[in-house]
Amino acid sequence: CIKQIDDIADRFVEFHHRYQSHFASKTRSVFASASNYLKGLVQAPRKNMERMEEYVVNADDQALQYMLTEAQWETLDVMDHVALDADRLLGGSEETGLLIDESSFVKKGKHSVGVARQWCGRLGKVDNCQVGVFAALGRGHRTTLVDFRLYLPDAWSNDKRRCKKAGIPAASRLFKTKSEQALEMVKHQRDLGIRFAWVGADGGYGKEPAFLRGLEEMKETFVVDVHKDQLIYLEDPDPIIPAKKNPKGRRRTKLHAQTEAVRVDTWAAAQPETDWRCYTLRDSTKGELRVQILHRRVWLWDNKETKARYWHLIVRREPNSPETLKYTLSNASEEISTHQLAKMQGQRFWVERAFQDGKSEAGMADYQARKWNAWHHHMALVSMAMLFMAEERERHKEDYPLLSCNDIETLLKTYLPRRDIEHDEVLRQMEKRHRRRQASIDSAFHKQARVSTG
């Protein structure tokens, strides 16, 4: 076991060599810089280029910046490779889900691509940030990123000059909602051959009727959370166009439901305690995760379709927090068990955990990337690092079942060669920092003098 862990640095290098062809063109290869950046994501305490250079052997911050911002390697090719490798690791099971979620990245200023004042989940309020929509492949507690899209608010998509300055390709300057981006990713992963049994997402996507209906039209099974004000029908609304009340009046064209809709929270509050069923979802670090579930089939109608949808409604609460309820809709087969639906609903926890690991252990939120290419290149390399961690955890699941991403980052920091341990190298790095600092000071004084004399 110790020898297997001791080889982790060699496996990390071998892992990146699987992707070598994606970083080379006919005239130039940036594979060495991409490899150094990948190492920097786990070795450097702060994931910017200058700190990576200080820790990673043979790294150069300017070469790293060129690889990230200017080099024309294809993010999509890398991510498709990542997705196929993730599929071999996690795909093909009834427990495998494609999990959609978004993550925000706090930013200052207005020049970073896609940055705007918008809802920032990380802060829990509206603030200046970038938002990415991500797809992760998950089975059980193993989850890794396989696709992503940078969300462009309409303040960006409507400003051609700003888009051009940020290097956004012309084909990507159209405004798309997050749910539209999510549907694109689901279709792309299915076309790629990724083997997932269902799609999961939170209430931010479930509140969009077009998202749920889009998944069903794509013949995808979904288990998606909705908000507490979601309207449901306990009986088929059987929408019809009512007959005219007055023979001389205008013909009616609008569909009307024949039954009354009710909010999901209103319905759940009216159910007797005896209708709640207890289920154990999984083992956790705090013992068994037990939940209480309400389940029934309900109708959903968007006030437009001629026929209502007949789906599952799952309401979940935890015994130690009975006031906190989660509401979920699913179009799974009628025969599916309540226990299985509850387990699928609970799977979304792991994509949030993947974001935590990505930001804490793989530099997901720490980047020097203002332009389109740089942001996408960074996220692709982060996804590679996260896939390696997922592979290592799967490799050692029998010998080290508690192996975490933090453990893997610590092992790589220990076993990968480090640049900052030699006396002369420490002095060289300090002197380089001082030269850059002095250059910045001189530039500030020069600008101040120019303004004064002007």
Side-chain angles (χ1 to χ4, degrees), residues 72-84:
Q72 296 303 304
W73 53 276
E74 290 295 333
T75 299
L76 184 60
D77 291 346
V78 172
M79 287 308 301
D80 284 354
H81 193 161
V82 167
L84 291 168

Side-chain angles (χ1 to χ4, degrees), residues 234 262-273 275-276 294 325:
L234 305 179
V262 61
R263 285 172 47 133
V264 289
D265 59 345
T266 302
W267 174 80
Q271 304 314 299
E273 283 296 314
D275 283 1
W276 291 88
L294 283 175
L325 277 65

